[in-house]
Amino acid sequence: MSLRNKLVTVFGGSGFVGRYIVQKLAQQGARVRVAIRRPDEGLFLKPMGGVGQIDIVQANIRMPMSVQQAVKGADIVINCVGILYQSGAQKFAAVQARGAEVIALCAKEAGVQQMLHISAIGADAESGSAYARSKAQGEAGIRRHMPQAIILRPSIVFGPEDDFFNRFAALASIAPALPLVDGGHTKMQPVYVGDVAEAAVRALSNSAAAGQTFELGGPKVYSFRELLELTLAAIHKKRLLLPVPGALLKPAAFFMELQPLFAPPITRDQIELLKADNVVAANAKGLKDLGIDLPVPVEGTIDTYLFRFRRGGGKFEPRFS
Ligand SMILES: NC(=O)c1ccc[n+]([C@@H]2O[C@H](COP(=O)([O-])OP(=O)(O)OC[C@H]3O[C@@H](n4cnc5c(N)ncnc54)[C@H](OP(=O)(O)O)[C@@H]3O)[C@@H](O)[C@H]2O)c1
């Protein structure tokens, strides 16, 4: 299906992944309705499209009536809403499980033709992590109402606004050591945010993708330790990488979750999540099946945005050798 002139509602379109999808949709000529909790915080999206091409409306996916309003008249609905930790009413069950299902139900009732949902590798109803369980419940809820929906499950997503490399680079700027949870052996396959967005628009344009689940990973698998080493190299810093058993880190994580002043750097649930590798399954459909043959690598890309963590916020100078 061509996306030109289609009305696409994007829940969570102001987030890290959502903003790249909004931009790609606008480039394809779609009319984009971004549905977020605080519309004023999404105004930066408007210049990504022509005059009037991108509209921002208020919606909270925990409030079904606001979801009903946001999907009215839409041809396609995309869900990019997710949370990394629970706080107040923003619980995994309410946002990632029930919220995702509410979007699918409202979309079906409104006669929306297609839905695309961003889940995550590791979505598993039996997981020890509440995040992973809620992702699986969200997928199941969507399939109940919109069996033709397309589900994208990325590994860690990287790019200028990411929450992985930026977080550890920031931590390395103030801490003498970085923790290697359970030795740092967990495998990850970081995927570039632009590739995730490209995968989304290609999947929506391809009728064969309907009802399919795609796992999205970048060109290389790394251990958690290797990713921290790449981060330190990008910011020109040397730090001790300290293996810490997850069980020992959990009490500290508990206290970080209790304090209300800042987002917890790590939670007990994330420690649980790190027990399982986060890589594309051997039999999964992926970027290649969507015609993305050369995904963007971590090396050389993270330097372009982590350079601000170098001593003195040094300028990025590409090295050609
Ligand atoms: N980033 C990654 O490495 C990664 C990896 C795998 C999977 N994913 C998945 O990809 C999706 C997007 O992640 P992201 O990194 O872009 O997250 P993000 O930057 O935190 O963006 C999340 C978006 O959801 C919105 N949101 C949160 N709660 C909401 C609610 N109750 N109602 C409506 N909107 C709400 C946020 O807006 P406000 O909070 O401002 O309202 C924001 O626009 C998520 O499902 C995530 O689980 C991400």
Side-chain angles (χ1 to χ4, degrees):
M1 143 174 50
S2 159
L3 295 174
R4 179 154 292 279
N5 287 328
K6 290 279 186 293
L7 177 57
V8 187
T9 297
V10 185
F11 291 91
S14 61
F16 167 45
V17 175
R19 67 189 64 185
Y20 287 84
I21 292 183
V22 167
Q23 187 171 28
K24 291 268 184 201
L25 289 169
Q27 286 165 356
Q28 297 289 317
R31 291 173 293 138
V32 188
R33 182 189 285 160
V34 178
I36 48 178
R37 288 186 294 172
R38 290 172 288 271
D40 50 314
E41 289 181 10
L43 291 176
F44 73 94
L45 296 166
K46 288 212 158 224
M48 291 179 179
V51 176
Q53 192 182 2
I54 297 175
D55 193 17
I56 321 275
V57 302
Q58 201 281 336
N60 182 337
I61 66 165
R62 289 185 282 107
M63 312 287 167
M65 275 173 67
S66 71
V67 176
Q68 271 170 351
Q69 287 299 320
V71 301
K72 234 183 217 168
D75 300 295
I76 298 168
V77 161
I78 300 181
N79 180 25
C80 302
V81 175
I83 51 174
L84 274 175
Y85 61 93
Q86 313 194 84
S87 117
Q90 289 279 92
K91 298 280 192 274
F92 290 134
V95 176
Q96 301 195 148
R98 181 81 194 127
E101 178 167 8
V102 163
I103 294 176
L105 178 60
C106 293
K108 178 183 159 188
E109 285 173 352
V112 172
Q113 296 160 31
Q114 186 52 299
M115 173 169 182
L116 183 136
H117 171 69
I118 311 285
S119 183
I121 285 183
D124 175 5
E126 307 297 322
S127 170
S129 149
Y131 172 91
R133 285 197 303 274
S134 68
K135 281 292 191 191
Q137 289 155 1
E139 289 187 6
I142 287 169
R143 290 261 179 257
R144 255 194 295 281
H145 306 294
M146 297 279 284
Q148 75 276 35
I150 298 159
I151 295 177
L152 302 185
R153 292 175 161 189
S155 181
I156 300 170
V157 186
F158 71 98
E161 306 88 352
D162 73 45
D163 199 36
F164 183 87
F165 291 107
N166 280 300
R167 178 194 297 230
F168 286 106
L171 193 59
S173 304
I174 52 168
L178 298 179
L180 283 178
V181 181
D182 290 329
H185 303 300
T186 312
K187 296 269 187 286
M188 298 172 173
Q189 195 173 351
V191 57
Y192 181 61
V193 66
D195 288 332
V196 175
E198 184 64 28
V201 296
R202 285 187 186 217
L204 283 170
S205 312
N206 176 358
S207 56
Q212 306 276 348
T213 298
F214 297 85
E215 296 202 347
L216 309 183
K220 225 169 128 181
V221 172
Y222 305 84
S223 67
F224 181 61
R225 171 190 275 275
E226 287 169 331
L227 291 176
L228 292 194
E229 286 167 351
L230 283 173
T231 307
L232 291 171
I235 62 175
H236 298 175
K237 284 192 168 46
K238 289 195 165 71
R239 292 289 181 269
L240 183 67
L241 295 178
L242 193 67
V244 190
L248 265 189
L249 205 56
K250 275 193 177 175
F254 172 66
F255 285 109
M256 285 188 270
E257 287 168 52
L258 279 185
Q259 58 73 35
L261 299 175
F262 51 85
I266 192 153
T267 64
R268 287 165 295 166
D269 198 67
Q270 286 162 356
I271 294 170
E272 205 54 46
L273 206 53
L274 278 169
K275 284 186 179 165
D277 288 342
N278 198 288
V279 298
V280 173
N283 56 353
K285 287 202 159 56
L287 288 176
K288 264 206 164 64
D289 298 279
L290 293 166
I292 302 172
D293 294 324
L294 290 172
V296 173
V298 169
E299 286 95 339
T301 306
I302 57 171
D303 305 63
T304 65
Y305 58 92
L306 291 185
F307 68 88
R308 66 196 175 95
F309 292 101
R310 291 178 191 165
R311 200 187 172 107
K315 252 184 25 205
F316 171 63
E317 283 151 18
R319 266 174 293 202
F320 302 100
S321 57

